[in-house]
Amino acid sequence: MKPVNRLTEADVTPESVFNMQRRQVLKTLGLSAAALGVSGVAQADVLDWFKGNDRPPAPSGKPLDFTKPDKYQADLPLTPLDKVSGYNNFYEFGLDKADPAANAGTLKTDNWQLTIDGEVAKPLTLSMDDIFKRFAMEQRIYRMRCVEAWSMVIPWVGFELGKLLKAAEPTSNARFVAFQTLYAPDQMPGQKDRFIGGGLDYPYVEGLRLDEAMHPLTLLSTGVYGKALPPQNGAPIRLTVPWKYGFKGIKSIVKITLVRDQPPTTWNQIADNEYGFYANVNPHVDHPRWSQATERFIGPGGVLKVERQPTLLFNGYGEEVASLYRGLDLRRNY
Ligand SMILES: Nc1nc2c(c(=O)[nH]1)N[C@H]1C(S)=C(S)[C@@H](COP(=O)(O)O)O[C@H]1N2
Ligand SMILES: [Mo]
């Protein structure tokens, strides 16, 4: 993801100089590009992350109570916690993959309140305690595919968004669900400074069709690896929609509003030709600037072990969700 006014190191540095710096990093590590099997700037993000990896580890969250329904304990190699909470997109804390882990400690999650309003018979405002009391948590192992063509497998702890929406009693006017991240420039440097925040409009907003939001795979996540979410993963509560690109998974949510019309969404607003409202994972519809046919799996192997694997339609959840899109042209509605 690259907002129009965002330049990466690779953009602003002549390639020769960039590759020289790269070779220096590799040399310091006692590695050569050939040994790693990496080629050119395509792997720049792996390296950027590695350079920043001397930053403090994630604060470990409090252990959560949860069940492990068989159905959702997928037998897949998990992405280790240090990568799940060390390689992040959370532009409120900077654009580098290592920035959220380094900077999100300023996020205040005490006394969090989540409001559900709009086209509902019973608007709700809930504390995290209320949420843990009202909704039983489950561990679910889901694939996660970022639109930037990397992926992880993550054991989330959370509960079905549909259960929360039902509690608020959507009216017959409700057709979409709009989500909003906390707006607190004093806690989130990227909301104060357009350079740090990549020129996005804040607060970050996302949306789903009501049937997508009610789908049993759609989670509100409160934890990862059995513990409360670290701030960089969107504490204390974030959306997880495993068949969609990662940017739909809005973090640190304060408001959920049931609405009649399709709501604006952050990445779609900044570049609607690149990031659609649906954002269903689809190997057959390329991003205008890169292929979506394969992905780099960030797995249990070493940081620089690059494992490319085919991307699956609906991220492998087609059996569960394809029926939601019957009759919809997935090429036009990307
Ligand atoms: N508020 C907010 N939510 C966000 C983002 C963000 O920048 N701000 N980035 C999105 C993107 S692009 C991805 S891939 C996922 C990353 O989630 P993770 O860091 O927990 O893996 O969060 C999504 N949610
Ligand atoms: Mo992403």
Side-chain angles (χ1 to χ4, degrees), residues 1 89 146-148 150 246-247:
M1 321 264 277
N89 277 329
C146 174
V147 74
E148 297 163 329
W150 53 266
F247 68 85

Side-chain angles (χ1 to χ4, degrees), residues 27-80:
K27 215 168 111 191
T28 320
L29 297 170
L31 303 164
S32 74
L36 298 167
V38 296
S39 61
V41 291
Q43 299 306 330
D45 60 338
V46 182
L47 228 74
D48 287 345
W49 179 47
F50 204 75
K51 280 187 282 177
N53 210 19
D54 53 352
R55 288 167 175 156
S60 77
K62 75 168 197 311
L64 300 175
D65 289 323
F66 55 91
T67 58
K68 295 185 179 180
D70 284 346
K71 189 175 164 192
Y72 298 112
Q73 308 313 303
D75 188 17
L76 295 167
L78 299 183
T79 302

Side-chain angles (χ1 to χ4, degrees), residues 1 84 87-92 144 146 150 152 154 156 181 200 204 232-233 238 246-247 249-251 267:
M1 321 264 277
V84 172
Y87 186 90
N88 302 98
N89 277 329
F90 199 167
Y91 277 21
E92 286 86 337
M144 195 297 227
C146 174
W150 53 266
M152 298 187 179
I154 303 178
W156 299 106
T181 292
L200 299 187
Y204 194 102
Q232 59 268 37
N233 290 100
R238 60 88 59 82
F247 68 85
I250 181 172
K251 295 178 168 181
W267 279 99

Side-chain angles (χ1 to χ4, degrees), residues 100-213:
N103 303 330
T106 51
L107 179 67
K108 293 196 189 96
T109 56
D110 295 347
N111 308 313
W112 197 267
Q113 299 220 301
L114 172 61
T115 297
I116 299 92
D117 64 6
E119 291 290 352
V120 291
K122 288 201 176 141
L124 297 167
T125 295
L126 303 172
S127 68
M128 289 309 295
D129 277 350
D130 297 333
I131 288 170
F132 287 121
K133 271 185 212 134
R134 285 179 78 142
F135 304 100
M137 298 294 140
E138 296 178 5
Q139 173 171 286
R140 294 196 183 185
I141 296 173
Y142 280 166
R143 291 189 202 86
M144 195 297 227
R145 170 60 157 83
C146 174
V147 74
E148 297 163 329
W150 53 266
S151 68
M152 298 187 179
V153 172
I154 303 178
W156 299 106
V157 176
F159 65 105
E160 291 176 16
L161 170 64
K163 293 183 181 172
L164 175 65
L165 298 181
K166 271 185 207 137
E169 299 179 12
T171 71
S172 57
N173 293 323
R175 292 174 54 235
F176 291 88
V177 184
F179 303 84
Q180 202 179 100
T181 292
L182 176 71
Y183 185 70
D186 52 327
Q187 299 172 41
M188 296 174 151
Q191 291 183 338
K192 206 157 32 190
D193 180 319
R194 287 185 71 76
F195 187 75
I196 297 173
L200 299 187
D201 286 330
Y202 294 104
Y204 194 102
V205 288
E206 256 306 335
L208 294 171
R209 250 176 23 194
L210 184 59
D211 60 341
E212 297 176 320

